[in-house]
Amino acid sequence: SLPPSSLFPPSTPINTHHRHSNTTTVFRRTGEGTAYCRALSKSLRHRALNTSNAPTLSYRTRDPPVEAAHRVPAQEFISRQGNNPNPLPHTENYVDVKEVVVISQKQSALGLSTIKEQLHAPFDPIETPGFLKHPRTCGLVGMPMSWGQPHGGTDQGPDLLRKRGIVDFIKGLEWRISDHRDIEFEEPKIDDPNTEGLKLKNAYAVGMANRKLAEKTYELAKSGQFALTMGGDHSIALGSIAGLLKARPDMAIVWVDAHADINTPETSPSGNLHGMPIAFLMGLSDIVPPGFEWLSEYPKLSADSLAYVGLRDVDEGERRLIKDLNIKAYSMYEVDRYGIGAVMEHCLQAISPQNSRPIHLSYDIDAVDPDLAPATGTMVRGGFTLREAHYICERMAETGMLGSMDIVEVNPTLTCTDGASATVELGVQLVLSAMGNRIL
C-alpha cells in the first residue's frame, strides 16, 4: 500500500525500504497519476540513471478509471517526473448527515487519487470504565511544553491538534468534551533556583509547570473524566501521571515510545528532562531538583504497574534499570517476532491480569516510524507501521479500562509543511482510535 502522500515534497524521489520486506519502493509524484515502481534494490535506480541500457520498470496509474499497466524505460520514467503541475495536497472535512460519519479527505501528493479516513463509533459500543462518570466526558488539557528537550516547536502541539479538529472528532465518537485549554506556566529564567552540580536543563521551569499539570489531571480524574493531555514534549508525563496516580492509585501505565525515558540525573547522557519522567515518578534518584519538591505529595509509580511498547533506542543506564526493576518491556524485536497483537495481549496480561485496573496510555509520536511521523525531535528508524500504531490504541480502548492518555512530541518545526501536517493528522487519528474509532 502507498504511504501517506503528505510526507513527501513533490520534487524529490522517495526510496522507502520496508521493514518487513527486502524490496525498495521508488516513488515519484507525477501529473499523470500515482506512478510508482518496485525495484529489487536501490542500485536498480542508480543503474537506470547511469547507464545507456536502462532497465524497464512498470508503473500503473491510480486515477479512475484504472488504466492497464504501462511500461516505460526507467531512465525516461525517472527523468520526466521533474516538472510537476500538481498543486500541494489539500484537505477538506465534511459530515455525512445521513450516516453521521466525519470524513477526512486529502489529495494524494502521489497523484490525483484521495486518501480517506473515516470516523465511526463502533456498532457495539466499547464498554466505558466504571470509574468514569456518565455521560462519558473527555477532559482535554493542553501542555505546550518544549523545555524538556533542546528543540523549540513542541509547544505548538496542543494548538495544532485543536486546529486539526480533535475536539469535534471526539464529539463525533459520542463523548462530551470539557476543554480546559492550555496550562499556563513560566518559562526558564536566568535567576531560577540553581541546579549546580546536576546535569539537568531547565529543571525548575519544567518541575513547576508539571506541578500545575498534576493538579489539573488530578482534578479531571477525581471528577470521573477521561483525561487527555496534549503535549508538549514527554517531560509532561511527569505531571499528567502524578496527578492521575493520586486520583487512581491502582492505575497501570502503557508507555508507547522509541525511548524508555527512565534516565536519572546520574545516568542521563544529555540532561534533557523529557528522558527522565519515569525515573522521577518511580523515585529512582535521591536527588530532588529545584521545582520537583511537590512530587513528595504524590504516590510513586511501581515497577509492576508499567509496561513499555516499541522501544528501540535505550541508553545503557536505562537498560540496567529496566532489567534490575524487572519492568515489562517490549522492544521492536518482540513486535517483529511475535506481532503487535501478541505483544499487546502479553503486555495487558502483565500489568492487569484480571483487566481490573485503570490504564493510562502515554503515546510518544516517535514510536511510529519516521517515514510516517517525521515531525518529531528524536526520530529512530524501524518504528511502528500505521496499522501497528493504530492497533495499540484500538486494543487499549477495547479493554474498557482506558481512562487517560498523553499524546506528545509533535514538533512541526523539524520537517517540511507536508511532514508536519502528516504527523499532526496521525496524532489526532491515534487519539481517536484510543477513544473508540473503529473500522467496523
Side-chain angles (χ1 to χ4, degrees):
S1 61
L2 299 179
S5 60
S6 55
L7 299 182
F8 308 128
S11 61
T12 56
I14 304 95
N15 295 339
T16 305
H17 184 75
H18 299 278
R19 181 160 56 84
H20 300 297
S21 171
N22 291 324
T23 64
T24 295
T25 306
V26 180
F27 295 99
R28 274 283 193 167
R29 188 172 169 186
T30 151
E32 299 175 353
T34 305
Y36 63 96
C37 56
R38 284 198 180 276
L40 295 179
S41 70
K42 292 182 180 179
S43 62
L44 184 57
R45 180 176 181 273
H46 178 78
R47 293 199 306 273
L49 290 174
N50 293 283
T51 65
S52 56
N53 298 321
T56 299
L57 302 178
S58 296
Y59 77 96
R60 58 181 188 270
T61 60
R62 288 277 184 161
D63 303 328
V66 177
E67 301 289 338
H70 302 283
R71 295 181 68 81
V72 296
Q75 190 172 10
E76 176 188 346
F77 171 79
I78 293 169
S79 64
R80 78 184 194 181
Q81 308 306 324
N83 298 322
N84 173 38
N86 286 0
L88 291 174
H90 66 272
T91 302
E92 59 183 13
N93 303 305
Y94 59 94
V95 177
D96 184 327
V97 179
K98 287 184 179 179
E99 301 181 9
V100 198
V101 176
V102 180
I103 300 175
S104 168
Q105 238 177 236
K106 288 183 287 191
Q107 179 181 325
S108 170
L110 299 173
L112 298 179
S113 59
T114 57
I115 299 172
K116 185 169 70 173
E117 293 165 333
Q118 299 185 104
L119 192 70
H120 289 291
F123 283 112
D124 298 319
I126 293 172
E127 182 181 350
T128 301
F131 53 85
L132 296 185
K133 70 178 182 181
H134 182 79
R136 58 183 190 171
T137 302
C138 173
L140 187 67
V141 59
M143 186 62 173
M145 169 63 69
S146 64
W147 303 109
Q149 46 82 58
H151 306 290
T154 53
D155 54 315
Q156 299 179 36
D159 186 51
L160 290 171
L161 293 168
R162 284 194 178 92
K163 286 180 177 176
R164 186 60 193 90
I166 193 169
V167 171
D168 288 336
F169 290 152
I170 293 173
K171 288 179 181 177
L173 293 173
E174 300 174 2
W175 287 82
R176 291 189 175 186
I177 285 284
S178 175
D179 191 346
H180 298 262
R181 309 310 299 171
D182 291 354
I183 299 291
E184 296 183 1
F185 52 87
E186 296 290 329
E187 297 184 353
K189 297 183 176 63
I190 196 168
D191 58 349
D192 281 346
N194 202 334
T195 56
E196 185 178 351
L198 301 179
K199 190 165 58 174
L200 297 174
K201 298 173 182 175
N202 307 316
Y204 184 75
V206 172
M208 296 307 294
N210 272 289
R211 179 177 187 171
K212 291 187 174 184
L213 178 59
E215 291 168 353
K216 177 56 69 175
T217 57
Y218 171 75
E219 172 192 323
L220 297 178
K222 201 66 177 175
S223 64
Q225 298 184 41
F226 183 104
L228 176 59
T229 306
M230 304 182 298
D233 64 58
H234 218 163
S235 68
I236 71 164
L238 176 64
S240 69
I241 293 175
L244 292 166
L245 280 173
K246 189 173 183 179
R248 302 167 185 165
D250 59 337
M251 185 178 74
I253 316 293
V254 176
W255 192 275
V256 180
D257 200 328
H259 311 88
D261 296 347
I262 196 173
N263 269 308
T264 65
E266 297 91 340
T267 66
S268 173
S270 69
N272 293 321
L273 285 161
H274 73 158
M276 306 185 204
I278 292 292
F280 283 114
L281 286 165
M282 297 182 74
L284 299 182
S285 174
D286 293 331
I287 295 173
V288 180
F292 284 65
E293 296 86 356
W294 58 272
L295 273 172
S296 63
E297 304 168 11
Y298 288 78
K300 295 288 188 290
L301 174 65
S302 61
D304 61 0
S305 297
L306 172 65
Y308 289 111
V309 179
L311 295 179
R312 59 189 188 277
D313 183 17
V314 185
D315 294 328
E316 184 58 36
E318 295 178 309
R319 294 175 68 185
R320 240 184 344 262
L321 285 168
I322 290 170
K323 294 292 184 183
D324 291 347
L325 296 170
N326 197 29
I327 298 171
K328 295 298 180 184
Y330 307 90
S331 71
M332 291 308 297
Y333 170 80
E334 282 77 28
V335 173
D336 287 339
R337 182 172 182 180
Y338 303 110
I340 193 62
V343 165
M344 289 307 298
E345 294 311 306
H346 198 279
C347 166
L348 292 169
Q349 180 67 22
I351 59 173
S352 184
Q354 306 300 321
N355 194 32
S356 58
R357 305 175 68 181
I359 301 177
H360 174 77
L361 175 61
S362 196
Y363 208 123
D364 189 324
I365 203 73
D366 72 21
V368 185
D369 193 86
D371 282 346
L372 298 172
T376 190
T378 47
M379 294 185 290
V380 187
R381 291 190 181 278
F384 293 129
T385 65
L386 183 67
R387 276 304 308 153
E388 287 169 341
H390 275 279
Y391 180 83
I392 293 167
C393 297
E394 292 165 351
R395 184 65 186 93
M396 295 293 290
E398 197 176 41
T399 65
M401 295 301 289
L402 184 66
S404 50
M405 180 178 181
D406 308 322
I407 184 75
V408 300
E409 296 285 359
V410 174
N411 191 334
T413 67
L414 299 179
T415 186
C416 62
T417 301
D418 287 351
S421 175
T423 308
V424 172
E425 175 73 22
L426 178 59
V428 171
Q429 295 296 333
L430 291 175
V431 170
L432 298 179
S433 288
M435 301 195 72
N437 193 23
R438 285 296 173 273
I439 297 170
L440 293 175

